Amino acid sequence: MLLNTLKRYAEGFVSIAYPEYCSACGGTLFRNEESVCGLCRNSLPKTNFHKFSDNPASKLFWGKCLIRSAAAYYYYKKSTDVQAMIHQMKYKGQKEVGNVVGNWYGQELGDSVLFQDVDLIIPVPLHPDKLKRRGYNQAENIGSGIAKALNVELDAKSLIRKTFTETQTKKRMFARSENVEDVFVYQPTLQASKHILMVDDVLTTGATLSACINSIRTVTGDDVTISVAALAITKH
Ligand SMILES: [Zn+2]
């Protein structure tokens, strides 16, 4: 690693004054690299779920909500470069990782028959308190990268995350799934879309995304097609 870095300095490909590091492997970035190095771009473990509909990501939503397709870019495992990258993105202020890697993913989604007619991106919102602390929503940054690649709009305002209260439980006003403490309320501000892509960082059980999708469906009914794309998925 050190030898490689010194070699890169000597060759003038990296900035000596302000070296930047790959969020995944920690190696020094070349001047033409952003957030994640080319080596990681080629070697991080992709799922390729967007190439077939009956994949482990979409199976997470069976019986929970109505979707067309679900996919995740990378496999997420502990102590791997994917975990390091997502940690940097969520907790170390490396917000541009979402934009960069989201854009790579968006380019691949655009080549998939399952995702190429997406016309609106909605990121899973953070709770407002968390957003205040962190300063940004990583799902929104990923969504923004995907939206740019697909040349569609990003709507980060219409889906609102609130804390679930006893009163709401009694009134059954909002959609909710098991294991989700927050509630989602959909108040669309943009004109109706035909195929919404919900975006999140890590897909684990699908409970949060299901709650989001069900809250959207309470407004749109079954008229809208909804799909899911996450940056990573835990192994199932
Ligand atoms: Zn790297």
Side-chain angles (χ1 to χ4, degrees), residues 22 25 37 40:
C22 171
C25 72
C37 76
C40 285

Side-chain angles (χ1 to χ4, degrees), residues 22-225:
C22 171
S23 292
C25 72
T28 315
L29 291 178
F30 277 88
R31 281 181 193 272
N32 62 348
E33 292 169 342
E34 256 187 299
S35 300
V36 176
C37 76
L39 208 61
C40 285
R41 185 177 185 181
N42 291 326
S43 64
L44 292 179
K46 289 181 186 175
T47 69
N48 286 312
F49 288 167
H50 60 284
K51 293 178 180 170
F52 57 105
S53 50
D54 272 3
N55 62 55
S58 47
K59 284 175 187 169
L60 288 174
F61 297 94
W62 289 1
K64 290 183 188 149
C65 61
L66 182 63
I67 61 161
R68 183 202 275 176
S69 311
Y73 202 16
Y74 300 119
Y75 285 109
Y76 180 95
K77 271 203 249 172
K78 280 187 179 163
S79 310
T80 60
D81 288 347
V82 172
Q83 190 202 22
M85 179 179 76
I86 285 170
H87 184 80
Q88 290 287 324
M89 180 179 73
K90 285 175 82 165
Y91 307 112
K92 299 287 176 184
Q94 300 292 319
K95 56 182 178 183
E96 70 285 356
V97 173
N99 281 295
V100 170
V101 183
N103 193 265
W104 296 345
Y105 196 23
Q107 290 170 34
E108 297 196 26
L109 292 174
D111 288 334
S112 160
V113 285
L114 301 171
F115 293 90
Q116 61 192 188
D117 64 342
V118 162
D119 59 357
L120 184 71
I121 308 279
I122 298 183
V124 170
L126 273 189
H127 193 280
D129 295 343
K130 223 180 215 179
L131 183 62
K132 223 174 185 180
R133 279 201 301 275
R134 197 172 294 173
Y136 60 92
N137 174 5
Q138 68 282 355
E140 186 178 335
N141 295 330
I142 298 163
S144 163
I146 294 176
K148 203 173 160 196
L150 293 177
N151 196 23
V152 298
E153 287 221 62
L154 173 97
D155 179 2
K157 291 204 165 74
S158 300
L159 189 62
I160 300 149
R161 188 169 192 153
K162 295 178 175 176
T163 305
F164 212 77
T165 66
E166 196 62 31
T167 325
Q168 284 159 347
T169 315
K170 281 178 187 157
K171 286 184 182 167
R172 292 180 160 210
M173 280 171 65
F174 305 105
R176 190 191 185 199
S177 287
E178 276 176 76
N179 306 321
V180 180
E181 288 175 2
D182 292 341
V183 67
F184 298 92
V185 183
Y186 185 55
Q187 293 168 335
T189 49
L190 291 174
Q191 69 177 75
S193 50
K194 294 188 191 85
H195 188 175
I196 296 171
L197 182 66
M198 292 294 312
V199 171
D200 205 359
D201 48 12
V202 182
L203 185 52
T204 306
T205 63
T208 305
L209 275 156
S210 296
C212 289
I213 290 162
N214 286 327
S215 74
I216 292 173
R217 291 226 180 271
T218 58
V219 176
T220 65
D222 293 347
D223 295 344
V224 171
T225 301

